[in-house]
Amino acid sequence: MTDLYKVAEFFPWFGFFIGSCLGSFLNVVTYRVPKGLSVVHPGSSCRSCSVPIPWFLNIPVISWLVLRGRANCCGSRIPPRYFLVELITGLFFAWIFSDYLPHQDVGILLASLAFSWLLIGVVVTDFETMLIPDRFSVGGACLGFFLSVYFPSIHTIENHPHGMEHLLAGFDSLLGILIGSGLLYWIGALASWAFNREALGEGDIKLLGCVGAFCGWQGSVFCIFGGALIGCVWLLLISLWQKIGTAKNLDKNQLAFGIEVPFGPYLAIAAMAYFFGLKIWIDPWFDWINELSF
């Protein structure tokens, strides 16, 4: 018990280290992939003067604090986003690792790490560029499907009497991909017809496929409406804040009818909420569908 307690104390710190490193890599991915650049070559360099960044000035979380948000080479400002992504990813991984020992399920651990990393990347990229790269959405859907087949416990399917847990989990994942992306496609198509303009991007539709691969069809359906609710509440708060502000003229940063806003981040937040806690409360609402006999 003493050894297990010591390991349990170490796990969150190990998770934070891994998460902050992968968060640093995520900063590279979210900056380069939308521009069509390689994430491997060249190495990290200053965005202002292109001087290569040495490893001792590229330590996740710590370097930004030590440099006080300024590049050592030219003194240009380093966006706080780099620090926040590393910190948030590190904290997420620390929390996931701390929850591993009580369950000791490798499949859920790997799925949680991969899914959270992908969704953080979606939030950052879609907010900054209004794009969701296929490497996150399509790649995430493929990864979620293969993890589901190999680790059926991701979809709470274990010890099937006929040994079909892998097949059933894969089917649940595939169904989530098809229903999630298909349902959002038709919602987008109807909205585009109603407003006579594109209402949803292809990236959002593909992202729902990724969500369905990890969460099943129930999670993908929840995320459509949960993401819409989160987005509406958030945009309403921003709109109210702008109206009570001192600015008199509408600028490009203010909300107005017809202005495009990213939907991916709200879908990602709803997916995280479902996967990391709401699943046990949401799924019973869909039991009546599972009990239908055809």
Side-chain angles (χ1 to χ4, degrees), residues 1-12:
M1 290 297 292
T2 304
D3 293 338
L4 184 62
Y5 180 75
K6 291 180 179 179
V7 172
E9 281 189 332
F10 171 75
F11 252 51

Side-chain angles (χ1 to χ4, degrees), residues 47-206:
R47 290 177 58 177
S48 299
C49 64
S50 300
V51 171
I53 300 174
W55 68 268
F56 54 85
L57 293 179
N58 203 21
I59 301 174
V61 180
I62 296 175
S63 292
W64 193 92
L65 293 173
V66 172
L67 295 173
R68 298 182 180 180
R70 295 285 178 179
N72 187 64
C73 49
C74 62
S76 60
R77 180 174 173 269
I78 304 174
R81 186 263 280 182
Y82 287 84
F83 168 76
L84 291 175
V85 170
E86 294 169 354
L87 179 64
I88 291 172
T89 309
L91 292 175
F92 248 103
F93 275 43
W95 174 58
I96 292 169
F97 269 87
S98 68
D99 195 48
Y100 166 69
L101 278 180
H103 305 92
Q104 296 187 12
D105 192 310
V106 176
I108 293 178
L109 174 67
L110 293 177
S112 300
L113 297 176
F115 197 43
S116 60
W117 188 84
L118 288 168
L119 293 181
I120 293 172
V122 167
V123 171
V124 174
T125 309
D126 204 14
F127 263 134
E128 290 193 345
T129 66
M130 294 284 290
L131 295 171
I132 301 176
D134 286 349
R135 298 188 190 188
F136 288 136
S137 55
V138 179
C142 293
L143 178 61
F145 174 76
F146 287 114
L147 285 175
S148 298
V149 172
Y150 199 80
F151 300 105
S153 58
I154 296 173
H155 295 268
T156 63
I157 301 174
E158 295 181 281
N159 301 322
H160 191 272
H162 301 292
M164 297 179 61
E165 57 269 14
H166 297 279
L167 181 62
L168 291 174
F171 178 75
D172 196 18
S173 177
L174 183 60
L175 197 62
I177 295 173
L178 296 177
I179 291 181
S181 55
L183 183 58
L184 191 61
Y185 170 81
W186 285 109
I187 291 175
L190 291 173
S192 299
W193 173 79
F195 295 105
N196 198 28
R197 58 175 297 173
E198 186 180 34
L200 284 173
E202 290 185 5
D204 299 324
I205 297 172
K206 296 174 184 177

